[in-house]
């Protein structure tokens, strides 16, 4: 059996840290979104998170909510997101970030099968706590997609251990409480948070940190603790204000900071 695409990418990185941009699929238009996916890859992304637009994005701050609404108005659906990923044909692993309802409406097994066929390597189900729906988790883990877990700073040690059982790809650490969006600095206890996760996570499972990281200095600071850094709102703001050129410039600068 060949090595999973996400594991292979982490292995290829060696001691380097990973930049993981998040892009809302279909924003500001499907055509621009397609170009944006390719441009962030060319600019140094190691993985790409593709967000499925959803009408009730509880974990998302103002920027991602605005991009989501625009994408929905552009007619983006789960099937169109998968087609966008297929068309992009990225050379780095794609992780689909979505809420559970769109996947349930589409059909979990159908989603897992067609997402893999489109070129996705993993999925993040934002509002599915570990163990809350074993049938959904089993359908994903039995597919070719990695099931990537989200954990929060408030997750206690016992819950953390059970939540990471069966996790694959990497662990997504929400660095702070609240919704997505840029902040002034990274949390001062980030190193301790990452260390706590590594103490109970499956051996060798990387830890990526997201929520609140928006500048190259912040990304560099996060990369000193975590294996990967997720940036979303800042990149979507750049795309909204300056188009794909601005998006590519910021991605390049973030990649340089993380890889250093």
């Amino acid at each position: 059996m060949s090595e999973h695409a996400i594991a292979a990418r982490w292995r290829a990185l060696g001691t380097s840290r990973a930049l993981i941009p998040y892009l809302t699929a279909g924003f500001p238009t499907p055509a621009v979104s397609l170009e944006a996916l390719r441009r962030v890859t060319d600019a140094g992304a190691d993985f790409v998170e593709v967000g499925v637009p959803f009408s009730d994005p509880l974990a998302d701050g103002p920027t991602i909510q605005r991009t989501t609404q625009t994408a929905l108005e552009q007619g983006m659906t789960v099937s169109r997101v998968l087609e966008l990923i297929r068309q992009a044909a990225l050379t780095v692993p794609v992780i689909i970030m979505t809420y559970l309802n769109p996947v349930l409406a589409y059909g979990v097994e159908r989603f897992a099968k067609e997402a893999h066929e489109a070129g996705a390597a993993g999925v993040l189900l934002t509002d599915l706590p570990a163990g809350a729906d074993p049938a959904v988790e089993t359908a994903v883990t039995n597919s070719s997609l990695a099931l990537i877990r989200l954990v929060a700073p408030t997750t206690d040690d016992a819950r953390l251990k059970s939540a990471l059982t069966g996790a694959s790809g990497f662990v997504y650490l929400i660095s702070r409480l609240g919704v997505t969006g840029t902040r002034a600095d990274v949390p001062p206890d980030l190193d301790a948070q990452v260390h706590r996760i590594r103490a109970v996570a499956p051996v060798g499972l990387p830890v990526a940190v997201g929520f609140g990281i928006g500048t190259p200095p912040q990304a560099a600071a996060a990369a000193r603790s975590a294996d990967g850094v997720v940036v979303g709102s800042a990149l979507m703001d750049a795309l909204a204000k300056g188009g794909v050129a601005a998006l590519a410039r910021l991605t390049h600068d973030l990649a340089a900071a993380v890889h250093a």
Side-chain angles (χ1 to χ4, degrees):
M1 178 179 289
S2 60
E3 187 177 23
H4 192 278
I6 294 178
R9 185 65 180 182
W10 284 113
R11 182 177 54 78
L13 282 167
T15 59
S16 178
R17 303 313 197 198
L19 174 65
I20 310 173
Y22 165 94
L23 300 180
T24 303
F27 176 84
T29 67
V32 174
S33 183
L34 177 61
E35 183 181 0
L37 288 170
R38 292 169 174 165
R39 290 289 293 273
V40 296
T41 303
D42 292 342
D46 299 294
F47 302 86
V48 176
E49 277 186 17
V50 177
V52 176
F54 180 53
S55 59
D56 193 17
L58 298 178
D60 295 320
T63 294
I64 304 302
Q65 287 190 28
R66 284 194 297 269
T67 63
T68 290
Q69 184 59 39
T70 299
L72 289 171
E73 291 168 357
Q74 293 285 326
M76 291 304 293
T77 61
V78 171
S79 62
R80 289 181 176 179
V81 172
L82 298 183
E83 181 56 29
L84 188 69
I85 293 170
R86 185 191 309 276
Q87 291 177 5
L90 301 184
T91 56
V92 300
V94 172
I95 295 122
I96 298 175
M97 191 167 190
T98 181
Y99 290 89
L100 183 58
N101 273 4
V103 175
L104 292 176
Y106 198 76
V108 180
E109 292 184 358
R110 177 190 174 199
F111 171 83
K113 177 178 180 293
E114 295 183 8
H116 172 68
E117 291 173 348
V123 62
L124 265 162
L125 296 169
T126 309
D127 55 347
L128 178 65
D133 194 327
V136 170
E137 295 178 2
T138 299
V140 175
T141 55
N142 286 345
S143 75
S144 299
L145 298 178
L147 178 59
I148 298 164
R149 300 290 196 190
L150 282 157
V151 297
T154 51
T155 306
D156 64 35
D157 290 345
R159 174 59 179 161
L160 186 61
K161 187 171 183 179
S162 64
L164 294 181
T165 300
S168 57
F170 59 90
V171 181
Y172 188 128
L173 168 62
I174 299 171
S175 67
R176 64 185 77 234
L177 300 180
V179 296
T180 60
T182 57
R183 303 291 195 275
D185 50 28
V186 299
D189 64 342
L190 181 59
D191 196 63
Q193 290 186 47
V194 172
H195 180 77
R196 190 167 70 93
I197 291 171
R198 286 185 175 139
V200 300
V203 175
L205 189 65
V207 179
V209 60
F211 280 50
I213 299 167
T215 67
Q218 290 173 342
R224 286 192 285 271
S225 298
D227 301 294
V229 179
V230 183
V231 181
S233 294
L235 289 169
M236 298 311 294
D237 276 334
L239 178 59
K241 295 173 183 176
V244 291
L247 172 73
R249 283 194 300 272
L250 180 55
T251 303
H252 177 274
D253 293 345
L254 289 164
V258 168
H259 295 155

